[in-house]
Amino acid sequence: MNSRYTPSTEFSLIVPTYCESQNIAILVERVHQSLSSYSYELVVVDDNSPDGTSEIANSLSQQYPVRVITRRNERGLASAVVEGFKQARGEILGVIDADLQHPPEVIPELLETVMSGADVVIASRYVEGGGSEGWSASRKIISKGSKLLAQVLLSSARGIKDPLSGFFLLRREVIDGVELSPTGYKILLEVLVKGKAREIAEVPYIFRVRERGTSNLTSGEGIRYLKHLTRLTGLQEGAIRFLKFGLVGLSGVLVNEGLLWLLTENLGLYYLLSAAIAVETAIITNFILNDIWTFRDRRTPGNRSLLGRGLKFNLVSLGGLGINIAILWTVTEVVGISYLISNLIGIAGATLWNYTINTLWTWRAKPSSEPISGS
Ligand code: GDD
Ligand code: MN
């Protein structure tokens, strides 16, 4: 499988640039030194930098295997990288910053790692031997926090030490036919979540201080990063589902109250008997609405039987009722606040329980729908 990779396998290294006129020539020379025994092209994607980066890169292309793509109507690191991937000719693709914070001397080791079997190789600050030069304590905390958040939220980032690295290589197949979102700020996360990588390796490197030019990434990137994470996690989809579940729950309260009144007042049933019938009816109407609306997309394949789903929902709801009453009693008796307030807390607790267990059990997602790290 890997034997088709030889030193003559074409490698495309993407370099996104914005105002890197002082760095681009040094980068190109250092990349060339490092890759002297390989066949490669360097694809500079410049967003028409006012400092003339494109022009300098173009003049370098007479002496080095450099191609320059100058975008005039677009700005952004991630979309520049996606554009570079599209235009690249190589079977192996890579990304490196232009400002020399990513030392080009690491590239041969990255390349060898892909050639000997890895689908994705990440130059990593967080494996043994890696690190960041001259970072303040606060920058370290922000970096580690962002990393932890990605690892908690995305299973594909979980086993990875540096999922936010901007310096990595991959086999072209990993992203063949995959729509990478150009608005995503951390393009490696896109690759890890949406791509088809099985084997992911990390090679240590030291993130150097920038010596020339200024960083383009501002505090707005923090917000963009959070949005990106939300989208990748499908958290938005989760919020909508929860809202639907809540609305169905409210409709159940109306059914419950209405029936309790109707059965007691009109049919003259004992009110506790009416209540039991009313509760069960509300559970059934809730089930039907959730089944055809809230969890419509989750009725197959693990949850095929309608009766099975209905019984599970019933059981979960009875558990919820128990939780509601337990909280109602505890908060009223122990904390000593009004039972009407305690009941609201009880309803909230029961709703959380119902939603969680129904999501994980009654209408559980099919096992393969979530991308798993390393598969
Ligand atoms: N084409 C294009 N368009 N390139 C851009 C743009 C843009 O709008 N903004 C930044 N770049 C280029 C820069 O010229 C540089 O080559 C690279 O993208 C990284 O930009 P920096 O401004 O140097 O970013 P940084 O040093 O703060 O962040 C880097 O380190 C992070 C790790 O802490 C990036 O590599 C991040 O991806 C990485 O996560
Ligand atoms: Mn930088």
Side-chain angles (χ1 to χ4, degrees):
M1 174 189 192
N2 312 313
S3 54
R4 63 197 171 87
Y5 289 108
T6 66
S8 67
T9 301
E10 179 97 11
F11 166 49
S12 298
L13 185 60
I14 316 299
V15 188
T17 58
Y18 193 77
C19 292
E20 301 288 2
S21 61
Q22 301 172 63
N23 293 310
I24 189 71
I26 306 171
L27 176 87
V28 167
E29 173 57 27
R30 278 173 61 182
V31 167
H32 196 63
Q33 290 298 327
S34 305
L35 291 176
S36 54
S37 52
Y38 298 91
S39 162
Y40 80 99
E41 63 166 353
L42 201 147
V43 181
V44 174
V45 187
D46 184 63
D47 291 351
N48 204 17
S49 307
D51 72 344
T53 305
S54 275
E55 289 75 9
I56 299 172
N58 265 317
S59 69
L60 289 163
S61 66
Q62 301 179 347
Q63 208 187 330
Y64 300 94
V66 169
R67 273 202 291 145
V68 185
I69 298 163
T70 306
R71 306 192 305 167
R72 295 181 198 280
N73 303 317
E74 239 180 311
R75 257 308 295 279
L77 170 54
S79 67
V81 173
V82 172
E83 183 59 32
F85 283 161
K86 280 187 193 146
Q87 309 259 347
R89 294 173 186 145
E91 270 188 72
I92 301 175
L93 309 173
V95 185
I96 190 171
D97 287 354
D99 58 2
L100 305 167
Q101 295 197 269
H102 298 155
E105 290 67 31
V106 183
I107 302 170
E109 195 183 344
L110 298 172
L111 203 46
E112 289 299 332
T113 309
V114 173
M115 287 180 170
S116 58
D119 297 303
V120 172
V121 58
I122 301 166
S124 174
R125 293 164 289 180
Y126 301 116
V127 292
E128 179 89 39
S132 304
E133 229 176 48
W135 272 21
S136 64
S138 64
R139 179 135 191 218
K140 273 186 194 148
I141 291 171
I142 291 172
S143 173
K144 291 241 164 116
S146 316
K147 176 179 88 121
L148 193 68
L149 201 59
Q151 288 165 331
V152 167
L153 292 176
L154 303 170
S155 60
S156 323
R158 218 155 284 161
I160 314 271
K161 299 269 190 284
D162 197 352
L164 306 181
S165 176
F167 188 14
F168 58 94
L169 268 59
L170 62 142
R171 297 174 180 223
R172 181 185 274 286
E173 299 100 272
V174 170
I175 55 164
D176 251 352
V178 172
E179 185 77 34
L180 295 177
S181 162
T183 51
Y185 160 52
K186 296 289 179 182
I187 203 69
L188 176 59
L189 277 186
E190 288 277 316
V191 171
L192 294 175
V193 171
K194 298 180 180 169
K196 294 167 278 189
R198 279 165 315 218
E199 210 184 312
I200 301 166
E202 292 185 76
V203 165
Y205 88 103
I206 306 227
F207 189 73
R208 302 288 177 193
V209 288
R210 186 191 255 272
E211 284 170 10
R212 286 164 297 269
T214 49
S215 172
N216 300 294
L217 303 181
T218 53
S219 50
E221 298 297 347
I223 305 288
R224 241 170 284 169
Y225 172 60
L226 291 180
K227 282 193 182 154
H228 189 199
L229 275 184
T230 330
R231 195 159 36 72
L232 285 175
T233 327
L235 270 185
Q236 282 162 327
E237 181 204 326
I240 290 169
R241 207 192 284 285
F242 187 69
L243 193 72
K244 288 181 176 174
F245 191 80
L247 288 175
V248 170
L250 277 180
S251 80
V253 172
L254 295 181
V255 169
N256 192 340
E257 283 280 309
L259 212 57
L260 176 62
W261 174 82
L262 207 73
L263 295 178
T264 313
E265 299 299 319
N266 290 17
L267 295 186
L269 292 188
Y270 179 54
Y271 77 100
L272 285 185
L273 179 59
S274 311
I277 298 173
V279 166
E280 185 52 39
T281 311
I283 289 176
I284 292 169
T285 56
N286 277 0
F287 170 70
I288 293 168
L289 289 174
N290 280 321
D291 202 59
I292 60 177
W293 189 43
T294 318
F295 293 101
R296 180 185 193 88
D297 56 318
R298 293 246 185 128
R299 291 187 293 194
T300 51
N303 327 307
R304 237 183 265 279
S305 140
L306 177 75
L307 188 65
R309 295 196 299 274
L311 287 174
K312 285 175 180 172
F313 185 80
N314 225 304
L315 270 176
V316 175
S317 302
L318 291 178
L321 193 64
I323 287 172
N324 191 341
I325 289 169
I327 293 178
L328 169 63
W329 182 84
T330 313
V331 174
T332 309
E333 299 299 322
V334 179
V335 185
I337 55 178
S338 157
Y339 69 95
L340 290 173
I341 309 261
S342 315
N343 194 37
L344 289 180
I345 304 173
I347 289 172
T351 305
L352 274 183
W353 154 272
N354 285 344
Y355 182 73
T356 308
I357 307 300
N358 280 316
T359 305
L360 296 176
W361 188 43
T362 316
W363 290 280
R364 68 178 171 279
K366 54 182 169 192
S368 60
S369 77
E370 208 190 327
I372 296 158
S373 170
S375 78

